[in-house]
Amino acid sequence: MPSTPAADAAPVVDGPFGPPGPTNPGRRRSRKIKVGPIEVGGDAPISVQTMTVTPTHEADTTLQAIAACQAAGADIVRVAVPRREDAEALAYLAEHSRIPLIADIHFQWKYAVLAIEAGCAAVRINPGNIKKHDKVALLGQLAGEADVAIRIGVNGGSLEDDILAKYGGRATPEAMVESALNEVRLLEDVGFGNTKISVKHSDPWVMIQTYRLLAASCDYPLHLGVTEAGPLKTGSIKSAVGIGALLAEGIGDTIRVSLSADPVEEVKAGIAILESLHLRERGLDVVSCPSCGRAQVDVWTLAEQVQKGLEGLDAPLRVAVMGCVVNGPGEAREADLGVAAGNGKGDIIKKGERIATVREEDIVEAMVHYATEMAEEIRAERGEGDPVVV
């Protein structure tokens, strides 16, 4: 089962922006694998992952963290397994988690064996840490028998010594791809192909080049991420650049936004990236003008208050908060619900039609009222019940 160049084995299919064409590369079609009940690759939807930060052996606390991630929209969750007591908790976690569980194995291949036996949906191994080739082959055999997926997770900060030496001590795109494909071959040699690959780097530019090279070198599904991206604000930006650029090229099958923040924030950022590229049905989207000399209201404050008032609204609504007479009315009409504010009042516009004019101090209350009403209408059309605000 040799690795096959994507150009031959993985033709592109319709991408997020329509069928392939001169300006649209389409989506790279990788082989499809399963992580528990979740399909990854091929034409499957792009999934969002995160990782808990609780001590894994504190099982009930970890389950609460997993539930919070699931509620935020995570499709798959990973837990760290640095200690034996963490490995021993995996069976309980795998049984009670409502989304597929991936065991993150650091150095101890034996913990990967325990994870497979515990019923985890997948294990993640790092070629730079598990250096015994015969043990990697053994994991492939056991995972194949148990129908468990394996993620080969290459990280720019932990490449094998011999590969680093070959490439001058630097984690170049070529070095990271070579590390990944070497590990792939160890699994292929024992007939294992239920594999996905990540080649993460902390520099978005290097990460983009690395994934492009890997995408052209094999047909395995790819897990995208900028590793060690940083705190919420800057890390989200770097992740959006790296992950978003690749997704726009049709590369990527599952993603994680790696932040120094609550895992729930990682999930929110990941979903926002997919929604921005029309790769997942958008939820609430509040847009507002950046403010300028034409603004006749405090747009910044108004937009923040509307965003806060709508927090938790469960509906695919685009809400526009505009504060000038030049672009405001047009932008508000383009949204599902908008307000064009100025001169102490605001025109409320629903689906392109003005439905009310309210005083400036009543704008937030009016926008929350009409948005909630529209969300209830959407849920009724879909046959969904209340509540719409959680």
Side-chain angles (χ1 to χ4, degrees):
M1 191 188 306
S3 299
T4 313
D8 296 328
V12 297
V13 294
D14 284 8
F17 316 113
T23 59
N24 175 25
R27 181 178 173 189
R28 166 187 177 266
R29 174 173 283 173
S30 60
R31 67 178 69 184
K32 184 181 291 185
I33 70 168
K34 296 197 76 173
V35 179
I38 301 293
E39 292 183 332
V40 174
D43 59 357
I46 295 168
S47 54
V48 175
Q49 300 186 27
T50 188
M51 186 172 183
T52 59
V53 297
T54 57
T56 300
H57 64 274
E58 296 180 4
D60 288 332
T61 301
T62 300
L63 279 176
Q64 291 176 2
I66 292 172
C69 294
Q70 180 193 10
D75 301 297
I76 300 169
V77 68
R78 181 158 50 109
V79 297
V81 190
R83 299 170 294 268
R84 185 170 185 88
E85 55 263 41
D86 298 318
E88 292 171 345
L90 291 175
Y92 179 80
L93 294 173
E95 179 184 358
H96 291 90
S97 174
R98 296 175 62 190
I99 54 177
L101 191 71
I102 298 179
D104 188 67
I105 308 303
H106 297 260
F107 299 95
Q108 296 293 335
W109 64 271
K110 293 181 181 179
Y111 297 168
V113 173
L114 292 176
I116 293 169
E117 294 174 345
C120 289
V123 294
R124 183 261 185 173
I125 58 174
N126 185 332
N129 291 343
I130 297 183
K131 301 177 181 180
K132 297 179 180 179
H133 291 179
D134 61 326
K135 301 308 180 187
V136 174
L138 173 62
L139 293 179
Q141 291 176 325
L142 296 175
E145 293 168 0
D147 197 24
V148 169
I150 291 179
R151 172 156 75 92
I152 296 172
V154 177
N155 190 299
S158 57
L159 283 176
E160 302 97 309
D161 292 339
D162 58 335
I163 289 182
L164 275 177
K166 178 179 178 180
Y167 290 93
R170 296 174 55 240
T172 65
E174 295 78 9
M176 296 178 68
V177 170
E178 181 173 330
S179 174
L181 294 183
N182 285 347
E183 202 84 347
V184 163
R185 293 185 189 99
L186 295 175
L187 297 175
E188 290 177 339
D189 285 345
V190 295
F192 186 83
N194 195 28
T195 307
K196 59 190 175 108
I197 309 173
S198 65
V199 281
K200 296 185 180 181
H201 197 283
S202 58
D203 184 325
W205 179 250
V206 176
M207 171 263 196
I208 291 169
Q209 307 309 313
T210 306
Y211 275 103
R212 284 174 175 166
L213 179 60
L214 180 61
S217 302
C218 70
D219 70 344
Y220 287 99
L222 304 183
H223 170 69
L224 304 185
V226 177
T227 192
E228 301 150 0
L232 179 60
K233 182 178 180 180
T234 55
S236 296
I237 293 171
K238 286 195 284 188
S239 296
V241 169
I243 295 172
L246 289 164
L247 290 176
E249 294 176 12
I251 297 172
D253 303 287
T254 180
I255 67 172
R256 179 197 173 190
V257 177
S258 299
L259 303 174
S260 301
D262 188 321
V264 167
E265 298 299 332
E266 294 188 350
V267 176
K268 291 178 180 178
I271 290 174
I273 292 171
L274 295 181
E275 289 178 349
S276 296
L277 290 169
H278 298 185
L279 291 169
R280 181 175 286 210
E281 181 184 58
R282 65 180 173 86
L284 177 68
D285 181 20
V286 177
V287 299
S288 60
C289 57
S291 189
C292 65
R294 297 190 300 266
Q296 297 173 330
V297 296
D298 182 356
V299 178
W300 293 351
T301 300
L302 184 61
E304 288 177 357
Q305 290 175 342
V306 170
Q307 177 87 61
K308 185 175 181 180
L310 297 178
E311 187 173 352
L313 194 71
D314 179 20
L317 285 176
R318 185 177 179 87
V319 177
V321 180
M322 311 305 296
C324 96
V325 296
V326 178
N327 298 320
E331 293 288 352
R333 282 194 296 269
E334 288 296 316
D336 298 306
L337 178 69
V339 59
N343 294 323
K345 62 182 181 180
D347 287 339
I348 309 297
I349 301 172
K350 176 182 177 181
K351 299 292 185 180
E353 300 293 333
R354 188 177 68 179
I355 59 172
T357 299
V358 299
R359 297 178 303 172
E360 181 176 341
E361 56 266 33
D362 297 327
I363 288 175
V364 174
E365 181 180 357
M367 292 293 283
V368 171
H369 168 76
Y370 287 115
T372 302
E373 186 177 78
M374 292 177 73
E376 290 172 347
E377 293 170 357
I378 291 171
R379 291 179 67 87
E381 290 173 1
R382 294 180 173 182
E384 300 173 1
D386 294 329
V388 296
V389 178
V390 295

